[in-house]
Amino acid sequence: MLTVLPHESRQAWLLRRLRERYEHPEEVRAYSKQVKQGLTPEEIVLLNSLLPGSCRIANLGCGAGREALALVEKGHRVVALDISRAMLRGARQLARESRLELACVWMSDPLRLPLPHRAFDRVLALAQLLSHIPGTEARVALLSEVRRVLVPGGMFIASVTDRAAAADLCFGDEDPGDQLSPLERAAGWEEGDIWVWQPSEARLDTPLFFHLHTREEIISELEAAGLRLVAYVGGHELTPAAASDAYRYRFVVARRENQRR
């Protein structure tokens, strides 16, 4: 059972839950099984249009390497990052078995990238990674780090769960507007914050924090970090072969602004 440590903030507690969930052997096994599936049809269409030649890519929240290894096979130079050492060990092992060269980097701080300035053409945060970050301020902090490591004109490619499209996750047939009580707001909860019980096939009794974005919200967070939205597109808009749950999320494509506004 996870408990709040003395003087631990809500944000720190939620991020610690995230790390401990993804360190669990059952979660690592579940993510390792996904590696053989490779990129989804909608990811293939999107990335083929945005990754010319051999790109230098930072893959945030790489898990056991599903996206990273598929991209290395396509000839890209990938640095895979995760907050879970166990996931990174899994990714390294699968890379060795496939005889692929994959650099793996552990993120000791979920909101800071241990990477040099202006070193990457693209930064990827797929599988709704941003949805796991609690609070607008924290998400802007991570996005600011993304901007720092991108070359001028470089692109950030992510997926977020769209609040209106995914209303069934927590609101049923109700209007997804103003759901929070004054007490919840005072405790730091924001509209769109929910718990998710099964982010994978792993059957673990430890729910994770999840934030459902609106388009306006992601634009605001990107702009605060010095990134400009280029596209906000659904999987089924990219290909009719998209995953069955692709209606719930949107791909975000943003470009690094040279000057902050």
Side-chain angles (χ1 to χ4, degrees), residues 14-32:
L14 290 171
L15 290 174
R16 181 165 61 86
R17 286 178 67 97
L18 180 70
R19 188 190 301 278
E20 294 187 16
R21 169 83 188 220
Y22 286 113
E23 290 279 0
H24 196 286
E26 287 188 29
E27 199 71 65
V28 176
R29 279 194 291 272
Y31 273 75
S32 295

Side-chain angles (χ1 to χ4, degrees), residues 33-41 43-44 65-67 70 73:
K33 286 173 59 179
Q34 294 178 4
V35 173
K36 291 183 179 180
Q37 301 169 9
L39 299 173
T40 65
E43 289 170 344
I44 291 172
R66 181 183 68 85
E67 304 117 52
E73 286 184 329

Side-chain angles (χ1 to χ4, degrees), residues 39-56:
L39 299 173
T40 65
E42 60 272 25
E43 289 170 344
I44 291 172
V45 172
L46 182 71
L47 295 178
N48 281 348
S49 69
L50 296 172
L51 303 180
S54 177
C55 288
R56 297 167 297 174

